């Protein structure tokens, strides 16, 4: 067979991609190259290693124009340099072999040198069986690169198709996972050997806290990845007034208010991007901006289980705070929790260790931290949710906050002050006014200031502005 020219090779590849497009559309997926058009600013994508050819085996009878089923390169997202790879399921079902892995490893090396984010689009049925140990070594090489990149550059995984076995191990090393609901799956064991058929599916991945965002399809997942990139910078421009007074008192008047309402009122309008929304819903985590400054938000949600701390919610918060610390993203903590979960299940999941990790997350890292006690802050929940003693930079409390070693109800019971059960609520409320006021904490230096709820936005913004100098 005569050697094909570059033009002939490229034409053959384009023809294959065009013929595969219709089939991919049925699956709710894009071709590997079409994904780059969605991901990057128009005209900025530069492919790397486009002509790398996969290895042949003695049983391989395909012709020489078969490029490796993965596209790698770099470009701009909102003007920010980003590197990416996208596995191509339309060819060999995205099977990974030695040269496939080398292309991904090369893009990692370039991203690390440039200190730029990397986005990996996973869409592969597994390894090239005929390459044997070479394919397995390829997985190991990518794992090593992802490990080196951990805590150095942001890594976003987009699960656009199957992501199983060693590919799942690689994807789980990424900082944020986005799953395409229509076509994505992530698993170690294939569905055929599992009894619970929901495992590895998008809904279960979201519920279990494995995926941070679930998007409708491949294109939507890529769009979500694109939206996240600006949050790894210092600022995202906003026209919202920093001095804007806010009405959160009406929200807080409901004991089971939804903290999303407070967050969306306080941060720059429309800026909050929630992560892990379906997992441990009594803790809310996500990115936002305030006065155009990018921040991470961690908040108890009284609307779900009283905002109590349990193993899942504390894991969710500590992992997000650690991520923010790794990339020096300031952290705002909003506290309103009835305390910690006191159940056999919580104890069996080693709640004390989870709480210890949460406290450690606040004490470590280089990111600026501001905590505001909105409502209840009882016992261990007060201590581990960004208290002053953990080294948080600025601690504020609303004048309606309640800070105490126990809830008022438990306190009056413990002290034996309830002689008439019909008056328990009245006695507890009186006790709270006297002994759970934020004034005591402020007088002892544990709270920097007690503020009016209308000033919440501007006081948080000025605190972060001060810390940024």
């Amino acid at each position: 067979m005569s050697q094909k020219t570059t033009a002939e090779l490229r034409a053959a590849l384009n023809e294959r991609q065009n013929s595969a497009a219709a089939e991919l559309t049925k699956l709710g997926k894009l071709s590997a190259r079409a994904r780059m058009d969605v991901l990057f600013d128009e005209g900025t994508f530069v492919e790397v290693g486009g002509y790398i050819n996969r290895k042949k085996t003695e049983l391989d009878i395909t012709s020489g124009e078969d490029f490796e089923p993965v596209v790698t390169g770099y470009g701009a997202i909102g003007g920010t340099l980003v590197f990416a790879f996208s596995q191509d399921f339309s060819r060999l079902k995205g099977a990974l072999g030695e040269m496939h892995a080398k292309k991904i490893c090369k893009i990692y090396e370039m991203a690390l040198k440039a200190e730029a984010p990397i986005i990996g689009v996973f869409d592969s049925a597994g390894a090239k069986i005929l390459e044997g140990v070479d394919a397995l070594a390829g997985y190991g090489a990518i794992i090593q690169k992802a490990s080196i990149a951990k805590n150095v550059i942001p890594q976003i995984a987009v699960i656009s198709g199957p992501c199983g076995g060693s590919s799942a191990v690689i994807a789980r090393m990424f900082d944020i996972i986005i799953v395409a609901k229509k076509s994505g799956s992530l698993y170690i064991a294939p569905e055929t050997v599992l009894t619970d058929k929901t495992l590895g599916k998008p809904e279960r991945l979201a519920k279990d806290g494995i995926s941070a965002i679930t998007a409708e399809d491949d294109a939507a997942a890529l769009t979500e990845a694109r939206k996240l990139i600006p949050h790894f910078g210092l600022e995202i421009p906003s026209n919202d007034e920093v001095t804007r007074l806010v009405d959160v008192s009406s929200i807080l008047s409901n004991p089971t208010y939804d903290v999303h309402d407070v967050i969306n009122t306080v941060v720059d309008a429309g800026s909050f991007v929630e992560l892990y929304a379906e997992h441990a819903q009594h803790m809310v985590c996500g990115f936002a901006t305030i006065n155009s400054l990018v921040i991470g938000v961690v908040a108890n949600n009284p609307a779900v289980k009283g905002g109590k701390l349990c193993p899942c919610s504390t894991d969710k918060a500590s992992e997000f705070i650690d991520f923010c610390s790794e990339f020096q993203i300031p952290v705002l903590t909003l506290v309103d929790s009835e305390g910690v979960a006191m159940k056999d299940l919580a104890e069996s999941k080693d709640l004390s260790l989870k709480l210890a990790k949460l406290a450690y997350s606040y004490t470590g890292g280089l990111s600026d931290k501001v905590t505001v006690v909105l409502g209840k802050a009882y016992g261990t929940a007060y201590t581990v949710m960004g208290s002053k003693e953990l080294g948080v930079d600025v601690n504020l409390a609303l004048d309606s906050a309640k800070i105490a070693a126990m809830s008022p109800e438990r306190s009056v019971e413990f002290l034996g002050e309830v002689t008439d059960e019909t008056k328990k609520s009245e006695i507890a409320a009186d006790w709270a006014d006297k002994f759970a006021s934020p004034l005591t904490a402020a007088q002892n230096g544990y709270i920097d200031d007690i503020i009016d709820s209308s000033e919440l936005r501007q006081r948080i913004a000025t605190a972060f502005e001060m810390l940024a100098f």
Side-chain angles (χ1 to χ4, degrees), residues 397-399 401 403 433 436-447 450:
L398 298 187
D399 48 18
I403 302 172
D433 289 338
S437 165
L439 182 60
T440 301
Q443 289 173 333
N444 291 331
Y446 305 133
I447 295 293
I450 301 171

Side-chain angles (χ1 to χ4, degrees), residues 176 212-213 228 272-277 284-287 316 320:
I176 296 174
I213 297 173
L228 286 176
F272 183 57
V273 178
E274 187 172 4
L275 303 179
Y276 308 101
V284 175
C285 299
F287 295 118
K316 178 178 177 177
F320 181 69

Side-chain angles (χ1 to χ4, degrees), residues 63-270:
S63 60
E65 70 259 22
D66 245 336
F67 300 127
E68 197 59 31
V70 62
V71 175
T72 58
Y74 60 90
I77 295 180
T80 298
L81 175 64
V82 177
F83 292 78
F85 66 84
S86 175
Q87 295 179 314
D88 189 352
F89 194 80
S90 71
R91 299 172 52 253
L92 302 176
K93 294 188 176 180
L96 186 143
E98 179 185 1
M99 302 309 289
H100 185 134
K102 282 186 175 180
K103 288 185 70 172
I104 295 175
C105 287
K106 176 61 178 177
I107 255 342
Y108 258 108
E109 290 167 5
M110 295 174 71
L112 284 163
K113 186 173 183 179
E115 297 183 350
I118 188 164
I119 297 173
V121 185
F122 292 81
D123 191 5
S124 170
K128 292 178 182 174
I129 302 301
L130 294 178
E131 285 198 25
V133 71
D134 286 339
L136 300 181
Y139 282 120
I142 299 171
I143 287 171
Q144 193 231 17
K145 296 298 183 186
S147 178
I148 292 171
K150 191 72 175 175
N151 304 342
V152 178
I153 59 173
Q155 301 178 78
I156 300 174
V158 177
I159 312 300
S160 290
C163 179
S166 295
S167 286
V169 175
I170 295 167
R172 290 291 276 136
M173 298 180 76
F174 280 50
D175 299 300
I176 296 174
I177 294 175
I178 302 170
V179 177
K181 185 177 181 180
K182 192 170 183 179
S183 57
S185 58
L186 190 152
Y187 51 85
I188 291 295
E191 182 181 358
T192 53
V193 303
L194 297 173
T195 302
D196 186 347
K197 301 303 181 183
T198 68
L199 292 169
K201 299 296 178 61
E203 294 85 354
R204 185 62 179 268
L205 294 171
K207 183 179 179 181
D208 291 346
I210 295 171
S211 62
I213 297 173
T214 303
E216 191 59 34
D217 55 21
D218 194 354
L222 296 165
T223 301
E224 292 296 335
R226 181 181 166 85
K227 283 188 206 173
L228 286 176
I229 292 298
H231 294 89
F232 304 125
L234 294 175
E235 294 186 350
I236 300 175
S238 171
N239 295 322
D240 203 345
E241 290 291 331
V242 67
T243 56
R244 170 171 58 85
L245 296 179
V246 295
D247 178 17
V248 297
S249 59
S250 60
I251 300 171
L252 300 176
S253 63
N254 177 1
T256 58
Y257 69 90
D258 189 333
V259 80
H260 291 90
D261 295 333
V262 175
I263 295 170
N264 287 317
T265 300
V266 170
V267 302
D268 293 341

Side-chain angles (χ1 to χ4, degrees), residues 301-435:
N301 191 4
V304 183
K305 300 179 181 179
K308 286 186 177 181
L309 300 182
C310 71
C312 290
S313 65
T314 51
D315 265 346
K316 178 178 177 177
S318 61
E319 289 175 9
F320 181 69
I321 294 166
D322 289 344
F323 174 79
C324 290
S325 295
E326 287 160 9
F327 300 104
Q328 297 185 40
I329 300 170
V331 175
L332 168 66
T333 302
L334 301 177
V335 184
D336 194 342
S337 172
E338 294 179 358
V340 300
M342 296 186 180
K343 294 183 177 180
D344 292 350
L345 182 60
E347 289 292 341
S348 70
K349 291 187 175 181
D350 206 352
L351 178 57
S352 58
L353 177 61
K354 309 292 186 181
L355 294 168
K357 287 181 177 179
L358 178 57
Y360 181 76
S361 295
Y362 278 107
T363 62
L366 298 175
S367 61
D368 298 327
K369 298 180 180 71
V370 174
T371 296
V372 182
V373 181
L374 300 177
K376 300 178 289 293
Y378 300 144
T380 302
Y382 162 79
T383 304
V384 301
M385 281 294 295
S387 65
K388 192 76 172 175
E389 295 65 51
L390 297 182
V392 168
D393 301 289
V394 176
N395 288 71
L396 305 171
L398 298 187
D399 48 18
S400 57
K402 302 297 180 186
I403 302 172
M406 292 183 186
S407 69
E409 291 77 15
R410 289 188 62 211
S411 295
V412 295
E413 285 180 0
F414 180 78
L415 296 171
E417 296 188 12
V418 180
T419 56
D420 184 349
E421 283 294 327
T422 62
K423 296 183 178 181
K424 180 179 177 180
S425 296
E426 181 183 338
I427 296 169
D430 183 60
W431 188 94
D433 289 338
K434 292 179 181 177
F435 301 107

Side-chain angles (χ1 to χ4, degrees), residues 8-23:
E8 288 173 330
L9 287 170
R10 180 58 66 186
L13 180 60
N14 288 338
E15 184 179 348
R16 277 206 188 92
Q17 289 183 328
N18 290 336
S19 64
E23 196 61 35

